[in-house]
């Protein structure tokens, strides 16, 4: 492991990413995926793939922004981090578009959440990253309006279930998938409470209310 870091030391490779983004890179096999957005209304959303070994760009795919969100200095542009599995890479943008791409960059499906369920009233933008299990993708939207936790079928992009959370304090934390015995749960630490939902049905299992300051960090789950 490198013991010293500088612009020249400890760097295996560097690659330029167009636009602006705050998402983290994710790795599957020999490819690295990351997102960015560009334009005054974040109308240019992109998913990029790079070679893990040397950093050369393999492809960039445009994701159509169905809702244009004006850039603001506090907005998190292309902040949600992708999920990835053997079938593809799943992205989520401030435009509300959840999208699946093949590992070769071709579009499989795109689901426009803001078109389906209304725009997000949150001055700092969308930053919650999706979570996943083998079959479903989970997206959390907590804002000053109708908030919800949503599950999408990874194969088709269709909605599996939607758990309404009422009007919430705007938050940006990400859901976490965890096992409790034989039951798989989705844990949300967000908007002044920690909630658990059944991953298969969306049923609300329990809630710990009365919290403060959990609007950004996600839950950590220990066995």
């Amino acid at each position: 492991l490198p013991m010293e870091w500088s612009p020249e030391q400890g760097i295996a490779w560097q690659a330029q990413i167009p636009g602006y983004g705050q998402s983290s890179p994710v790795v599957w096999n020999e490819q690295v995926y990351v997102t960015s957005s560009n334009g005054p209304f974040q109308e240019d959303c992109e998913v990029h793939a790079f070679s893990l070994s040397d950093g050369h760009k393999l492809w960039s795919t445009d994701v159509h922004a169905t809702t244009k969100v004006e850039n603001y200095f506090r907005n998190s542009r292309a902040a949600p981090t992708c999920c990835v599995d053997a079938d593809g890479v799943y992205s989520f943008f401030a435009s509300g578009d959840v999208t699946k791409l093949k590992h070769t960059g071709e579009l499989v499906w795109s689901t426009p959440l803001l078109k389906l369920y209304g725009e997000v009233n949150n001055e700092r933008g969308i930053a919650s990253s999706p979570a996943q299990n083998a079959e479903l993708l989970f997206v959390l939207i907590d804002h000053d309006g109708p908030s919800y936790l949503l599950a999408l079928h990874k194969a088709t992009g269709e909605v599996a279930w939607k758990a309404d959370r009422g009007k919430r304090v705007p938050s940006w934390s990400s859901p976490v998938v965890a096992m409790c015995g034989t039951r798989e749960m989705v844990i949300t630490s967000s908007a002044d409470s920690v909630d658990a939902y059944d991953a298969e049905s969306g049923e609300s299992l329990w809630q710990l209310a009365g919290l403060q300051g959990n609007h950004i960090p996600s839950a950590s789950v220990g066995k």
Side-chain angles (χ1 to χ4, degrees):
L1 295 176
M3 299 301 294
E4 296 184 13
W5 296 89
S6 75
E8 294 80 28
Q9 292 177 296
I11 306 300
W13 52 261
Q14 299 182 58
Q16 294 296 317
I17 300 172
Y20 184 93
Q22 295 170 323
S23 64
S24 299
V26 295
V27 177
W28 185 266
N29 290 336
E30 295 301 313
Q31 295 190 180
V32 183
Y33 302 100
V34 71
T35 62
S36 67
S37 67
N38 213 339
F41 292 91
Q42 301 187 58
E43 63 270 24
D44 299 322
C45 301
E46 291 185 292
V47 180
H48 313 281
F50 297 89
S51 168
L52 179 62
S53 61
D54 59 15
H56 76 268
K57 183 184 284 189
L58 302 172
W59 51 261
S60 290
T61 297
D62 294 326
V63 174
H64 175 63
T66 56
T67 300
K68 293 178 174 58
V69 182
E70 186 173 6
N71 279 332
Y72 178 57
F73 77 99
R74 285 180 173 171
N75 275 32
S76 299
R77 289 160 282 183
T81 296
C82 296
C83 287
V84 64
D85 64 12
D87 292 327
V89 55
Y90 308 84
S91 63
F92 179 40
F93 288 93
S95 62
D97 298 296
V98 184
T99 300
K100 177 181 180 179
L101 302 176
K102 295 181 180 180
H103 287 289
T104 49
E106 293 86 358
L107 176 69
V108 179
W109 54 257
S110 189
T111 302
L113 298 191
L114 303 192
K115 291 293 185 182
L116 292 174
Y117 304 115
E119 296 187 16
V120 172
N121 184 14
N122 180 342
E123 67 172 1
R124 290 173 174 84
I126 289 175
S128 178
S129 300
Q132 66 175 332
N133 64 11
E135 305 294 334
L136 299 173
L137 195 71
F138 306 101
V139 180
L140 178 65
I141 300 289
D142 276 344
H143 68 118
D144 189 16
S147 302
Y148 53 90
L149 176 68
L150 190 74
L152 300 171
H153 289 288
K154 290 164 72 175
T156 64
E158 295 178 349
V159 176
W161 52 259
K162 177 173 175 280
D164 293 322
R165 290 166 56 81
K167 184 178 179 180
R168 290 273 180 155
V169 177
S171 298
W172 307 271
S173 68
S174 303
V176 175
V177 179
M179 292 297 298
C180 181
T182 59
R183 170 173 258 169
E184 195 169 40
M185 301 187 302
V186 183
I187 308 295
T188 63
S189 178
S190 177
D192 297 338
S193 71
V194 177
D195 298 81
Y197 299 86
D198 183 87
E200 183 177 359
S201 67
E203 174 191 0
S204 177
L205 301 176
W206 52 260
Q207 181 185 82
L208 175 64
L211 301 181
Q212 291 183 341
N214 67 333
H215 305 152
I216 298 174
S218 301
S220 296
V221 180
K223 294 183 179 180

